[in-house]
Amino acid sequence: MKLWGGRFSKEEDPRTEDFNASIALDSRMYHQDIRGSVAHAAMLAKQGILTDEERNQIISGLEQIEKDLESGVLQFSPQAEDVHMNIETFLIDRIGDVGKKLHTARSRNDQVALDLRMYLRDEIVKIKALILALQTVLLDLAEAHADTIMPGYTHLQKAQPINLGHHLMAYFEMLRRDVERLRDLRKRVNVMPLGSGALAGTGFPLDRAYVAELLDFDDVTRNSLDGVSDRDFALEFCSCAAILMMHLSRFCEELILWSSDEFSFVELDDAFTTGSSIMPQKKNPDLAELIRGKTGRVYGDLMALLTVMKSLPLAYNKDMQEDKNALFDSIDTVKACLSVMKPMLQTAAFKPERMYQGAERGFTNATDLADYLVGKGVPFRDAHAIVGQIVLACIQENITLNEMPLERYQTFSPLIEVDIFSYIDIKACMERRNLPGGTASAAVRRTIYDGRQWMRKNME
Ligand code: ARG
């Protein structure tokens, strides 16, 4: 008979059982479920609701179950529906009637909320570590390439010269925000819902603060209806994950583009690319493409969970069992992507020469030419117009700004002198932007230094 079977006079139809069961998904929370039950039993005994002897039997039973689950001796069954009832059933099978006392003053509604919060809390730590590991690679690469000049783009059109270190550090900053978002989210995840009961709390004199302390929670939830029906923390995680994936996807898009023959800015390592079953010459950036593709899945998880929650009346509704599909899929996908992104990037061979050639073409120093005129007293708008004409002439004559003779320059503006050539040298243009946040090598090195300090604090 089901744990809840008392008021039923018929057996459950197998189709109901199949459709209703969530064990295939939620079994991964068994460690948290057991840890939560141990704390609940300890608190019940402290409050005189269980005897010390009962508590000891329950706790050692639960600990044994955990060991046997880990070694594979025990297996979950869909008949017991979910992880909570599987473990309670194991306990009753093993220790008999005392096991039936564990669920006193508790509902699966507050139990699942507890397990999810604990599970997510643990996963956030792992995901943060994976992001930090990727950031370490970015810092090392940025340091090695703080002088590697490349074209910076807007609209995917060459814009101004930058260095590769600066470009990579842009991704470091995105990931820094991702870590900070996760850290902030932890505050709202780490609130203890047990004691909310099914929806209205319980008449037993529970010590909720004690359970929170045993389980390393910072606080207890303040409203029992909200305690069992809040999934904001899962939604927030899915939205953090969606933003993180968007960052990875943009980066992957660039690696894909840059490894095309047209760009040839990077060559991904053989070990992190794949071949074609028909075209012998191919080396495809499949991992980068998959990360870009999986971003769609993670966005979908966020939309799915928002939609599951949008019309639910208070308090718990079974719809909420669907939260696990979205939450766990986002967790797994983000971890998998971060895990391959790191070695893929670490082994990538950037091509400084190609990047430099790219920066020399496309008039990336045109803004500096205008700035030069501004330095001679020409209002910026007028300087912009003059340089526009110079660029047009260069395009017609198929030369770069550096190749235009001085006499020709002077037909556009008599203020242009021979120092123009060193002024619009590509490297000089890059190095001139030596303000906080700028692309000069020295400015980039300062942000790398700052990044390493931040990393040290976050690794503690
Ligand atoms: N498996 C359920 C879930 O994941 C646990 C809570 C079930 N509560 C209930 N009253 N049926 O949401």
Side-chain angles (χ1 to χ4, degrees), residues 156-172:
L156 205 53
Q157 303 288 320
K158 282 176 190 167
Q160 289 173 351
I162 58 171
N163 63 71
L164 176 58
H166 194 52
H167 195 103
L168 295 170
M169 285 304 285
Y171 287 104
F172 178 88

Side-chain angles (χ1 to χ4, degrees), residues 4 20-23 26 29 81-85 107-113 116 198 231 316-324:
W4 41 252
N20 197 38
S22 59
I23 186 64
D26 59 26
M29 302 194 297
E81 199 175 312
D82 55 23
V83 67
H84 325 292
M85 289 203 295
S107 155
R108 273 186 297 154
N109 299 350
D110 55 356
Q111 190 178 358
V112 71
L116 269 180
R231 291 294 181 272
Y316 178 84
N317 300 269
K318 191 69 175 228
D319 314 44
M320 289 163 72
Q321 181 164 283
E322 291 292 311
D323 58 4
K324 285 159 211 70

Side-chain angles (χ1 to χ4, degrees), residues 219-343:
D219 207 350
V220 299
T221 53
R222 282 179 293 270
N223 179 295
S224 62
L225 296 170
D226 186 50
V228 291
S229 65
D230 166 33
R231 291 294 181 272
D232 290 4
F233 59 93
L235 278 166
E236 273 192 61
F237 175 81
C238 288
S239 97
C240 293
I243 296 173
L244 167 62
M245 287 301 295
M246 178 269 288
H247 293 152
L248 299 185
S249 180
R250 291 182 76 176
F251 199 176
C252 284
E253 166 69 12
E254 295 200 312
L255 291 173
I256 294 162
L257 210 55
W258 290 3
S259 49
S260 68
D261 186 52
E262 286 71 11
F263 269 86
S264 293
F265 281 4
V266 71
E267 181 170 356
L268 297 178
D269 195 86
D270 279 7
F272 295 98
T273 44
T274 56
S276 154
S277 60
I278 171 169
M279 296 169 280
Q281 85 284 11
K282 291 279 268 177
K283 177 165 148 178
N284 294 328
D286 287 33
L287 299 190
E289 294 168 88
L290 274 171
I291 294 172
R292 192 177 59 183
K294 285 173 191 289
T295 302
R297 282 243 312 270
V298 174
Y299 289 4
D301 292 333
L302 173 61
M303 275 321 293
L305 188 52
L306 280 168
T307 312
V308 164
M309 295 303 295
K310 78 180 256 286
S311 309
L312 296 185
L314 296 182
Y316 178 84
N317 300 269
K318 191 69 175 228
D319 314 44
M320 289 163 72
Q321 181 164 283
E322 291 292 311
D323 58 4
K324 285 159 211 70
N325 289 294
L327 182 63
F328 295 168
D329 185 62
S330 279
I331 290 173
D332 295 348
T333 308
V334 156
K335 282 165 75 183
C337 292
L338 287 166
S339 302
V340 295
M341 186 87 186
K342 181 189 151 188

Side-chain angles (χ1 to χ4, degrees), residues 119-171:
Y119 183 80
L120 181 56
R121 183 173 80 172
D122 295 346
E123 292 299 316
I124 286 175
V125 173
K126 293 180 206 162
I127 291 169
K128 268 203 312 210
L130 289 170
I131 302 176
L132 290 169
L134 179 58
Q135 286 182 293
T136 306
V137 175
L138 281 169
L139 284 171
D140 292 344
L141 280 174
E143 190 140 36
H145 289 290
D147 297 296
T148 302
I149 295 171
M150 63 173 280
Y153 296 83
T154 65
H155 313 267
L156 205 53
Q157 303 288 320
K158 282 176 190 167
Q160 289 173 351
I162 58 171
N163 63 71
L164 176 58
H166 194 52
H167 195 103
L168 295 170
M169 285 304 285
Y171 287 104

